Amino acid sequence: MLEENPYFKITSKDVIFKNPKGFPKPIYDLTKNKPSVEGFTLGRKLFYDPILSVDYFTSCATCHQQFAAFAHIDHPLSHGIGGKIGIRNVPALQNLIWKDAFMVDGGINHLDLQPISPITSPTEMGENLPNVLKKLQADSTYRLMFYKAFKDSIITTEMLMKSLSQFLSLMISSNSRYDKFIAGADTLSIIEQKGLNLFASNCASCHTPPLFTDNQYHNIGLKPDSNLNDKGRMAITSFKEDYFKFKTPSLRNVEMTYPYMHDGRYRNLKEVMNHYAASQSCTKMKFDEFEKVELIAFLKTLTDMEYLHDRRFADPNTY
Amino acid sequence: MKSQRPILKYSLFIIGLFFLFSFRFSEPKNRPSLVIEFNHFVGKDKLILDSLMYKNEFNQSYSIGKFRYYISNIKLRRKDGTEYASNEYYLIDVEDKKSQQIVIREKGNYSSISFTIGVDSLHNCSGLQKGALDPVNGMFWAWNTGYIFLKLEGKSPYSKSPSNIFEYHIGGFKQPNNCIRQVRLDLPEKTIQVVEDDADLLSLSVDISEVLKTPKNIDFTEFSSVTDFNNATMMADNYADIFGVIKY
């Protein structure tokens, strides 16, 4: 049994939540869905299981890859069942319990509701909830795991979502070199420190540490792509002033989450810096080539190797 | 023979009393209740699903395949000014007979009823809900969190959508797209009917054709699909007046 493999075995120590130093209080109420060994193990199995998709081919992890901080490397737009292309770039999954809303347009207002979207989206997993519950109910391993986690063998939407949330809620990235530098446990090179200073004066108003997002929506002056016809935040609020505004993404692990922006239009950080340096509408930033290098050097200090290799979030089926 | 009859009568009376009392004291489950029944019509006709017999205001024929909606926040006002308030959510579905009866566990001298079509913002914003509000019921938008308050689907040869379908999925709890609507109906004489000792019946009519008119007459050629906030409040204004009271 793979659960017996000590590398993948989840113990009570693995599911303890510790608020990282300097982080605010989480928005997600963990007391209402406290991760347990059984619930987390179940959430992990579900995350890596294509049973949640209509063709048994696409799992959450098909799009959300751990080595990319659960973004999808090199796919500008997401690929779902039957190779269907979505309209957006797959974002990193990290520090989700500090988010007030999910998706780049903030359309989803609670973590426990988020997985319903990919499961039922025709371009992602193409399923419907009654059928997913039926498939899980018909599977004796899942029946047992749900029973162990929730003391109930009739699988409900709530049990499915809460187990996924238990897994997602502990996806916390807070151990980058930057964090260690702030805690006085590491040093940054001179280039990185110059980048940090540039970042503090030009970027931190939106990409606010420690989460590197202000949880707000901005139009940073990208040119809309007429093929995608993405209206951004306006698709949710219907307010004209929200047209093409997107939720500020966290920049943690940004080195690994290429390509960039909601539609994956920039292949690397250099292109992003070129955008900001040339940007007309959003900011009056002027960087020379040296400063772009310094900023990128700083952004790379946000890479959290512990998170990218945390065995708790690894695929339990690869051994 | 004659002399025995009064005894029989008395004993029957006593047995009767006994039953009456034992019911009153030992059967709290059978608490007096009011059953509210939702009867679905299209204009004057009783609803028949999938039959192409109805006409809208533009004389376009149509059939109805699906009709379901949320009711909540039921309040029953008594003649003395007090009220009974329920905090339950109900999903009423023309394909599910059981859903069409709501049991209110309190009988009363009610003079009016009010309720909400839709789901309040609190229950749209506080995470996963159970029961009638479980997203498994298919009355939920996954990409823009919130409940679909009312779903009307059917076919009309005048619709330009694939297979001539029309679909109206109406919801939204935030301004300016708030589709929550309040209903208030007076309950004059001959509306609450005593059907059994412990159960009163209130029959409401639901006229589905009203979703397609007043104030805005819906032309299937023009509006065959409303499934997000575009035109949603227009449809909500239409469905605000689908309810009526049936006299017995």
Side-chain angles (χ1 to χ4, degrees):
Chain A
M1 263 302 274
L2 51 102
E3 265 79 30
E4 279 154 25
N5 182 328
Y7 184 77
F8 292 107
K9 190 160 176 64
I10 299 297
T11 66
S12 57
K13 276 214 302 280
D14 292 329
V15 295
I16 296 171
F17 167 69
K18 256 187 72 209
N19 211 359
K21 233 177 133 195
F23 275 39
K25 241 185 83 189
I27 290 171
Y28 185 78
D29 187 350
L30 282 160
T31 62
K32 290 206 176 119
N33 186 24
K34 192 165 178 279
S36 65
V37 170
E38 296 79 13
F40 181 95
T41 308
L42 172 58
R44 179 181 62 180
K45 182 173 167 67
L46 288 162
F47 189 86
Y48 283 99
D49 194 339
I51 193 172
L52 297 183
S53 67
V54 68
D55 60 1
Y56 289 87
F57 263 113
T58 310
S59 73
C60 307
T62 306
C63 293
H64 297 287
Q65 306 167 327
Q66 181 175 22
F67 61 89
F70 298 98
H72 196 132
I73 282 188
D74 250 1
H75 273 179
L77 299 171
S78 67
H79 293 205
I81 48 158
K84 285 188 192 146
I85 310 263
I87 65 157
R88 288 185 181 148
N89 184 12
V90 182
L93 302 183
Q94 55 192 350
N95 303 340
L96 295 165
I97 54 176
W98 285 278
K99 297 198 81 161
D100 62 340
F102 302 87
M103 313 303 255
V104 293
D105 55 19
I108 298 175
N109 66 22
H110 200 286
L111 184 59
D112 293 347
L113 299 169
Q114 159 68 41
I116 301 174
S117 174
I119 292 172
T120 60
S121 161
T123 56
E124 297 185 20
M125 302 166 103
E127 260 295 2
N128 64 63
L129 284 177
N131 206 44
V132 166
L133 294 179
K134 211 163 80 196
K135 288 197 295 192
L136 294 171
Q137 191 73 50
D139 183 313
S140 59
T141 312
Y142 272 119
R143 270 203 311 277
L144 183 67
M145 289 181 82
F146 272 102
Y147 182 78
K148 280 189 182 162
F150 297 101
K151 304 287 166 282
D152 197 340
S153 49
I154 307 289
I155 302 168
T156 63
T157 319
E158 189 187 23
M159 288 152 71
L160 170 60
M161 295 304 147
K162 289 206 156 161
S163 56
L164 280 167
S165 284
Q166 289 190 18
F167 181 65
L168 296 171
S169 64
L170 291 180
M171 289 184 163
I172 296 170
S173 174
S174 62
N175 285 315
S176 63
R177 277 186 56 228
Y178 163 82
D179 295 294
K180 290 176 183 153
F181 168 74
I182 294 293
D186 203 343
T187 50
L188 297 188
S189 71
I190 294 179
I191 296 186
E192 289 163 346
Q193 289 204 38
K194 279 190 175 164
L196 170 60
N197 293 338
L198 279 169
F199 187 86
S201 47
N202 289 293
C203 323
S205 56
C206 297
H207 299 284
T208 317
L211 295 164
F212 290 86
T213 171
D214 56 358
N215 268 332
Q216 299 295 313
Y217 306 85
H218 305 277
N219 181 338
I220 57 166
L222 297 167
K223 210 166 140 307
D225 180 331
S226 56
N227 291 325
L228 293 173
N229 194 22
D230 195 333
K231 298 187 173 60
R233 179 70 177 156
M234 184 185 152
I236 302 303
T237 65
S238 81
F239 294 131
K240 283 206 173 56
E241 61 268 31
D242 286 337
Y243 177 72
F244 223 58
K245 283 188 182 169
F246 294 93
K247 201 171 178 64
T248 312
S250 172
L251 298 181
R252 288 182 172 275
N253 296 302
V254 71
E255 177 184 7
M256 306 307 296
T257 63
Y258 58 91
Y260 300 108
M261 302 305 173
H262 66 277
D263 53 5
R265 68 177 63 192
Y266 295 136
R267 282 168 303 166
N268 52 46
L269 287 171
K270 183 79 191 299
E271 290 184 6
V272 177
M273 294 311 117
N274 289 343
H275 162 75
Y276 278 115
S279 166
Q280 304 88 5
S281 68
C282 144
T283 39
K284 291 170 227 55
M285 298 178 200
K286 273 266 168 286
F287 307 127
D288 59 30
E289 294 308 307
F290 291 103
E291 288 169 323
K292 288 179 194 168
V293 171
E294 290 160 2
L295 271 168
I296 292 172
F298 165 70
L299 291 177
K300 289 185 175 173
T301 70
L302 296 173
T303 304
D304 179 352
M305 294 313 271
E306 290 174 39
Y307 182 60
L308 302 179
H309 297 281
D310 191 327
R311 61 166 187 87
R312 294 176 300 160
F313 306 116
D315 184 351
N317 305 309
T318 55
Y319 49 102
Chain B
M1 283 303 269
K2 235 182 197 161
S3 65
Q4 278 181 345
R5 272 205 189 128
I7 297 174
L8 194 71
K9 250 187 197 165
Y10 272 124
S11 44
L12 272 179
F13 180 70
I14 288 167
I15 291 170
L17 267 185
F18 188 78
F19 265 116
L20 207 74
F21 272 84
S22 59
F23 267 126
R24 281 276 174 273
F25 292 122
S26 67
E27 284 278 77
K29 270 179 286 170
N30 244 0
R31 266 183 39 202
S33 52
L34 169 69
V35 176
I36 306 174
E37 193 177 69
F38 293 80
N39 301 276
H40 297 92
F41 297 88
V42 184
K44 295 254 169 313
D45 305 314
K46 268 216 142 184
L47 168 69
I48 300 172
L49 282 175
D50 300 318
S51 124
L52 201 70
M53 56 187 270
Y54 308 114
K55 291 253 163 77
N56 71 357
E57 294 300 288
F58 296 92
N59 213 27
Q60 299 167 331
S61 55
Y62 67 97
S63 67
I64 291 171
K66 183 177 272 185
F67 186 61
R68 38 200 342 232
Y69 49 94
Y70 278 115
I71 292 291
S72 58
N73 196 23
I74 298 177
K75 287 195 177 120
L76 285 149
R77 234 146 278 135
R78 301 188 189 87
K79 294 222 164 78
D80 63 10
T82 59
E83 67 178 23
Y84 171 89
S86 143
N87 46 21
E88 286 288 316
Y89 294 79
Y90 299 96
L91 176 56
I92 298 175
D93 184 346
V94 296
E95 290 166 274
D96 174 8
K97 202 88 199 113
K98 245 179 66 194
S99 76
Q100 296 159 26
Q101 291 202 335
I102 293 178
V103 180
I104 301 288
R105 294 257 164 244
E106 202 171 297
K107 226 160 95 160
N109 218 343
Y110 299 121
S111 59
S112 72
I113 180 172
S114 64
F115 52 84
T116 299
I117 310 176
V119 178
D120 54 80
S121 62
L122 177 70
H123 283 79
N124 275 290
C125 294
S126 41
L128 200 68
Q129 309 293 324
K130 295 183 243 188
L133 296 179
D134 189 326
V136 79
N137 295 322
M139 295 288 279
F140 186 79
W141 276 309
W143 54 276
N144 184 0
T145 304
Y147 288 94
I148 298 170
F149 299 162
L150 180 140
K151 250 189 198 182
L152 171 61
E153 293 177 11
K155 289 191 175 193
S156 167
Y158 292 85
S159 157
K160 289 192 180 134
S161 295
S163 327
N164 293 346
I165 59 156
F166 62 81
E167 48 179 356
Y168 307 116
H169 297 179
I170 314 301
F173 59 95
K174 282 180 283 195
Q175 294 303 356
N177 307 308
N178 188 343
C179 289
I180 296 175
R181 291 295 178 273
Q182 304 298 333
V183 176
R184 187 177 177 282
L185 300 166
D186 285 329
L187 304 176
E189 295 295 295
K190 287 195 167 288
T191 51
I192 296 187
Q193 188 179 5
V194 184
V195 282
E196 279 167 47
D197 253 7
D198 286 322
D200 290 355
L201 176 70
L202 168 62
S203 296
L204 299 183
S205 64
V206 189
D207 181 357
I208 304 173
S209 74
E210 284 291 346
V211 180
L212 305 172
K213 63 185 185 200
T214 48
K216 171 76 183 173
N217 292 338
I218 302 298
D219 178 344
F220 292 123
T221 318
E222 196 184 350
F223 294 110
S224 57
S225 169
V226 180
T227 55
D228 58 17
F229 54 70
N230 290 303
N231 300 313
T233 54
M234 168 185 95
M235 299 300 291
D237 292 340
N238 274 4
Y239 66 54
D241 63 349
I242 58 177
F243 295 96
V245 207
I246 303 178
K247 287 199 176 181
Y248 60 85

